[in-house]
Amino acid sequence: MRKSSMEVRDEEASKAPWYRSLFVQLLVAIVAGIVIGACWPAVGADLKPLADGFIRLIKMVIAPIIFCTVVLGIAHVGDMRSVGRIGVKALIYFEVITTFALLFGLLVGNLVQPGAGFDVDAQTLAAGADKIAQKTGNGELPHAVEFVLNIIPASVISAFAENALLQVLFFAVLFGLALAKFGEQGPPVILAAVDHIGRIFFTIIGWIMRLAPLAAFGAMAYIVGQYGLSSLGSYGTLIVCCYGAALLFLLVLAGVARIFAGVNLWKFVRYIKDELFLALGTASTEVVLPRIMIKLTEAGCSRATTGLVVPTGYSFNLDGATLYLSICVLFLAQALGVDLSLGEQITAVGVLMLTSKGMAGVPGSSFLALSATISAIGHGSIPVAAVALLLGADRVMDSMRVTVNLLGNCVATFVVAAWEGQLDTERMRAVLDGEAVAPHQQEEPRVANA
């Protein structure tokens, strides 16, 4: 089987001079962006289109890549029951780990008390609601039933046209199962076509990735230029609390990865360092979705598991976001001098378990989720407008959320693959140890069970 364009580029990169390494280029670009934003804020704020253009280029090809990957993976598995098990196990894992993240965030927030000492007067927050409405574009998170129904596209074309990843995933699963059911009555020709189309889109991704350092430079310059470094001081305790909680949570993920999949998370971080730095630089996990999927496959996860778990996790497994939200609920209460009871904190967890599932792709989703949670708690001393207190610190938290979200979905893929017996542990260890391995081989498609 021919090597993918990404594999060829990675091999060439390993032989190229150090300054041609994507990791080095991203590191230099991020540092340069911070310097430009700090020294010339107006210039830095004007560089946002560099990042926006790159993200749009990546989003342009994400939907067809997910479709091709999932269709090929399911067709090669060829078993409807196996696909169903992968989906169910992924959802179970997502629910368990995100609930733990919420409870862990509450524990850290109660111990550290990041909002203590703010002594904010609720009467001074009258304009907060207007600021939140401006930040969120007066949008709202979908309700539970609406969220589930929105997974079903109005039409196949609209799913791709609107770049609705869960809708694309839903159709890809059906298409892959239908192809597999045909067995030897024709699908090999279609599968070959889908495979070639997927290769074409990965080639396009390769071209787009050459612009990654420029995008990281623009994003960091904009963030620092627009929001400044002063917020680091005024929200110091909250920032330290969130990042400290993230580090502890990553240790938990490392234990989960080691115990349930035999994966050394530190070695995996080194393996995806380019993608991780790009996600940090652009404050977006979507920009690395295609490369993360192919790297997980190369690291021993089956194509079906990777194709199902990763895109689904982008909506159902936002570990970093849920960790941040639970800490922020306590921060707002403490800043206003309100002592939330155990019952009110449990209510907050219940609401966040629902609202966090509909956050992906919604502008200002963290503020909407917090507003819904504050309203549900029903504590009169905490106005919904208090959420505006977080406007100055929210962008500083992007690196924490992006890192935990990305690694959380990667660990989920390894765990579900191992759980389903679709993880090649020998290949995984060899790849993470940096050993030379043969290109990942796909099996011939099987006939699905009727």
Side-chain angles (χ1 to χ4, degrees):
M1 178 179 176
R2 294 176 300 172
K3 296 184 180 181
S4 70
S5 57
M6 195 190 83
E7 295 165 6
V8 173
R9 286 195 310 277
D10 288 345
E11 287 185 2
E12 292 175 348
S14 64
K15 303 174 184 177
W18 63 269
Y19 55 83
R20 295 190 62 184
S21 164
L22 179 59
F23 176 78
V24 172
Q25 292 176 357
L26 288 170
L27 181 61
V28 171
I30 290 172
V31 172
I34 294 173
V35 171
I36 294 294
C39 297
W40 300 280
V43 175
D46 289 337
L47 293 177
K48 188 172 183 286
L50 294 178
D52 289 345
F54 178 77
I55 292 173
R56 288 173 69 93
L57 285 171
I58 292 290
K59 286 185 175 181
M60 175 181 70
V61 296
I62 281 181
I65 282 177
I66 288 178
F67 175 78
C68 293
T69 302
V70 173
V71 167
L72 290 171
I74 291 177
H76 284 104
V77 170
D79 186 348
M80 187 178 298
R81 286 176 296 181
S82 177
V83 173
R85 286 197 307 269
I86 293 172
V88 171
K89 290 176 180 178
L91 291 176
I92 291 173
Y93 176 88
F94 294 159
E95 197 57 47
V96 170
I97 204 71
T98 52
T99 302
F100 174 80
L102 287 170
L103 295 173
F104 186 74
L106 285 180
L107 174 63
V108 172
N110 279 297
L111 293 176
V112 179
Q113 298 193 349
F118 266 68
D119 299 324
V120 176
D121 183 358
Q123 300 299 320
T124 65
L125 299 173
D130 294 333
K131 293 180 180 179
I132 293 299
Q134 182 180 3
K135 178 72 176 179
T136 60
N138 289 308
E140 61 180 19
L141 294 174
H143 299 294
V145 175
E146 181 185 0
F147 175 71
V148 172
L149 289 177
N150 283 342
I151 296 176
I152 305 173
S155 72
V156 173
I157 302 300
S158 68
F160 286 90
E162 297 171 8
N163 214 33
L165 299 189
L166 279 181
Q167 294 183 1
V168 172
L169 178 63
F170 179 79
F171 173 67
V173 170
L174 296 178
F175 195 88
L177 288 172
L179 272 181
K181 188 174 179 62
F182 275 94
E184 300 178 355
Q185 300 175 17
V189 176
I190 301 177
L191 282 174
V194 173
D195 187 29
H196 285 298
I197 291 172
R199 291 176 184 275
I200 290 171
F201 279 106
F202 274 113
T203 299
I204 296 173
I205 280 289
W207 295 340
I208 296 173
M209 287 300 295
R210 295 179 183 179
L211 302 175
L214 192 61
F217 168 74
M220 291 306 299
Y222 165 72
I223 291 172
V224 177
Q226 180 74 18
Y227 298 95
L229 297 174
S230 59
S231 59
L232 294 174
S234 56
Y235 291 92
T237 305
L238 175 62
I239 293 170
V240 170
C241 178
C242 287
Y243 277 84
L247 287 175
L248 292 175
F249 186 80
L250 289 178
L251 291 178
V252 174
L253 283 181
V256 171
R258 171 68 78 175
I259 294 171
F260 294 100
V263 176
N264 185 312
L265 191 60
W266 170 244
K267 290 182 179 180
F268 181 73
V269 168
R270 287 189 304 175
Y271 174 59
I272 63 164
K273 64 182 185 301
D274 292 352
E275 291 74 22
L276 189 58
F277 252 72
L278 178 57
L280 289 173
T282 58
S284 170
T285 53
E286 279 192 342
V287 298
V288 298
L289 189 150
R291 283 179 62 97
I292 282 294
M293 289 175 68
I294 198 68
K295 279 205 165 183
L296 284 167
T297 304
E298 288 301 315
C301 297
S302 71
R303 184 180 277 183
T305 303
T306 303
L308 287 171
V309 175
V310 175
T312 308
Y314 269 55
S315 290
F316 287 90
N317 191 42
L318 303 175
D319 298 338
T322 52
L323 182 66
Y324 167 71
L325 289 173
S326 58
I327 292 175
C328 285
V329 168
L330 291 180
F331 168 81
L332 294 176
Q334 293 159 5
L336 290 165
V338 176
D339 185 19
L340 292 180
S341 66
L342 178 60
E344 289 170 331
Q345 292 189 32
I346 292 174
T347 299
V349 169
V351 176
L352 288 173
M353 285 174 63
L354 296 175
T355 55
S356 63
K357 301 298 185 293
M359 289 174 58
V362 179
S365 56
S366 59
F367 296 102
L368 292 172
L370 282 171
S371 299
T373 304
I374 295 299
S375 298
I377 292 175
H379 203 300
S381 300
I382 310 178
V384 174
V387 176
L389 290 173
L390 295 166
L391 286 170
D394 188 68
R395 288 307 296 262
V396 182
M397 303 299 179
D398 279 339
S399 296
M400 181 275 285
R401 290 189 296 243
V402 164
T403 301
V404 179
N405 286 347
L406 181 60
L407 290 177
N409 280 316
C410 291
V411 170
T413 306
F414 278 116
V415 170
V416 174
W419 195 357
E420 186 62 17
Q422 295 190 21
L423 176 63
D424 186 340
T425 54
E426 291 185 6
R427 182 182 182 86
M428 177 265 293
R429 294 192 181 98
V431 169
L432 298 190
D433 286 337
E435 300 176 9
V437 295
H440 185 74
Q441 299 293 327
Q442 296 293 339
E443 300 176 0
E444 291 301 316
R446 305 174 192 167
V447 179
N449 292 345

